[in-house]
Amino acid sequence: MFTIEAMDHTAMEHAAQKLGVTLPIEQTKVWAEYQKDIDGRTPWGCLAIRKDDTVVAVLSFIDYLTHGYHYLRSMHGPVWAAKPSEDDERAAVKAIADYVHAHDRKVVFLRMDLWYTAGTCPVLSTVPYDQTVVIDLAGGDEDILKRMKRRGRRDVRKALRECPAECEDETSQALESFEEYYDIMVETGKRDGFNPAPITDYSDMLAALGADHCRVFAARIDGRVVAWSIVTVNGDHAVRYYAAMRSDVMRLHVTDKLLYSECCILGSQGIAAYDLMGIGSDFSPTLKGLNEFKTKFTEEITPVAPGRDVPLRKTFYGALRLVKRIRG
């Protein structure tokens, strides 16, 4: 039998330690503090999922107010001690849904990252993924290189020999001003066909999470920033959240040198795993354009639980799906 217990972030972090897991940064107090300063987002609370009185998973929800309705998002949650069986996940999701519905009637649906589909719906928005690339950073620079695919090793070695870029941690510079970096994101968006978020989305993230949890790495040629990435850090895990590059350096292997530099620097700081944040698959075909670059840095593909919606107010949620179909 599954039961739900409310807790604060401190208790949740203790519970995660007992489970032997590192919380994704999106499940931590520092992330909740960052989210509460974004219009339309409010930390809702943390929950422990118990099976027969033993905590087996935890999660933290953010309340999103959008288009006049509320839903709760738990990014990378629930966080399980071990991958659940389909029956256990289904029972846990039902217990969570019942708990939330009993305590907050305004919530239309929950969005969680779930291994199985029963009782859930494809997400109304965003692009979920079910596979990612996680680079093992143990053992030092040469060991990181040796674990790459042959093509990855070749491209990195070529970049180290020939690419003129200097790659460094530039978190302190980016905290002072993000304008130089943002110009590259605007250029990247025009080239790759997307609209970048406002500059404040990036600068506020850096300021709110702080250098302990959010880093900026950059590549410069002749003093000019030509590529950069924003990396989140929690415990011994890091995630490459955003990246951008100028078009005129695309043939110089700048991104290979920058990413390898990030791996080496993070590894030297005790980070064990570096997640490149999603690749494409049959589940998420629109992301397949990322695969050629990301997958060369490791031999392994890591399955992850993708985002799914769990309707609470089913009639309202059905109307939202209908609106989406009409717009489509």
Side-chain angles (χ1 to χ4, degrees):
M1 178 179 178
F2 283 85
T3 56
I4 306 300
E5 175 189 347
M7 55 171 51
D8 60 23
H9 274 100
T10 300
M12 180 171 163
E13 289 173 7
H14 288 324
Q17 290 174 1
K18 289 182 180 179
L19 292 176
V21 297
T22 298
L23 288 175
I25 193 168
E26 297 88 353
Q27 295 287 315
T28 65
K29 182 178 181 180
V30 68
W31 188 265
E33 291 294 315
Y34 158 51
Q35 292 289 295
K36 76 179 185 181
D37 290 330
I38 300 175
D39 289 344
R41 300 184 192 180
T42 307
W44 190 87
C46 306
L47 302 176
I49 299 101
R50 293 181 177 272
K51 181 182 181 182
D52 301 327
D53 294 327
T54 300
V55 175
V56 294
V58 294
L59 81 163
S60 172
F61 276 125
I62 302 294
D63 183 330
Y64 282 64
L65 173 60
T66 178
H67 303 297
Y69 67 86
H70 291 261
Y71 72 94
L72 301 188
R73 175 70 170 113
S74 183
M75 190 178 297
H76 304 309
V79 182
W80 291 82
K83 182 179 176 179
S85 68
E86 185 170 1
D87 288 344
D88 277 358
E89 186 182 74
R90 185 187 302 116
V93 168
K94 184 180 185 306
I96 294 166
D98 290 346
Y99 179 93
V100 172
H101 193 54
H103 287 80
D104 193 342
R105 293 283 180 171
K106 70 178 181 296
V107 176
V108 176
F109 63 93
L110 310 178
R111 181 165 296 162
M112 296 181 283
D113 292 351
L114 304 173
W115 291 103
Y116 309 100
T117 61
T120 71
C121 300
V123 295
L124 283 170
S125 58
T126 73
V127 181
Y129 56 87
D130 65 348
Q131 294 181 352
T132 191
V133 168
V134 179
I135 303 173
D136 182 353
L137 302 184
D141 300 2
E142 279 301 312
D143 285 339
I144 293 170
L145 193 59
K146 289 176 183 177
R147 285 189 290 266
M148 294 180 185
K149 286 182 179 177
R150 182 177 179 180
R151 178 168 173 257
R153 294 195 300 273
R154 181 198 68 198
D155 288 350
V156 168
R157 285 180 175 135
K158 182 178 178 65
L160 294 174
R161 289 194 310 268
E162 301 177 8
C163 179
E166 297 292 332
C167 302
E168 301 287 348
D169 182 333
E170 295 197 4
T171 306
S172 58
Q173 296 97 309
L175 280 167
E176 289 180 8
S177 174
F178 199 73
E179 290 184 4
E180 184 176 12
Y181 308 91
Y182 187 68
D183 285 345
I184 303 174
M185 180 58 84
V186 172
E187 181 178 330
T188 301
K190 290 179 180 178
R191 181 184 68 236
D192 296 346
F194 68 87
N195 293 319
I199 187 172
T200 51
D201 281 27
Y202 307 98
S203 58
D204 289 353
M205 179 181 184
L206 290 169
L209 297 182
D212 287 342
H213 293 285
C214 196
R215 318 270 174 78
V216 175
F217 294 92
R220 291 179 181 265
I221 296 178
D222 297 329
R224 169 179 172 252
V225 178
V226 294
W228 59 265
S229 64
I230 290 179
V231 178
T232 60
V233 175
N234 191 54
D236 61 356
H237 286 59
V239 179
R240 203 175 207 239
Y241 239 81
Y242 300 107
M245 180 179 62
R246 291 203 182 277
S247 300
D248 61 358
V249 300
M250 291 184 70
R251 296 183 181 274
L252 298 180
H253 289 280
V254 172
T255 52
D256 296 304
K257 189 172 185 178
L258 178 59
L259 180 54
Y260 179 62
S261 298
E262 293 162 15
C263 291
C264 296
I265 295 170
L266 291 168
S268 71
Q269 297 171 347
I271 304 300
Y274 188 23
D275 187 342
L276 300 190
M277 202 176 184
I279 58 172
S281 66
D282 290 342
F283 177 83
S284 48
T286 59
L287 298 179
K288 286 187 176 181
L290 303 170
N291 291 20
E292 184 177 354
F293 175 72
K294 290 185 178 182
T295 59
K296 68 183 179 182
F297 293 101
T298 178
E299 295 280 359
E300 303 294 329
I301 300 299
T302 302
V304 292
R308 301 284 297 182
D309 286 350
V310 180
L312 301 186
R313 296 168 57 187
K314 295 183 179 180
T315 301
F316 197 129
Y317 185 82
L320 294 176
R321 296 209 74 86
L322 177 60
V323 169
K324 181 182 179 181
R325 284 197 298 271
I326 292 170
R327 288 177 175 171

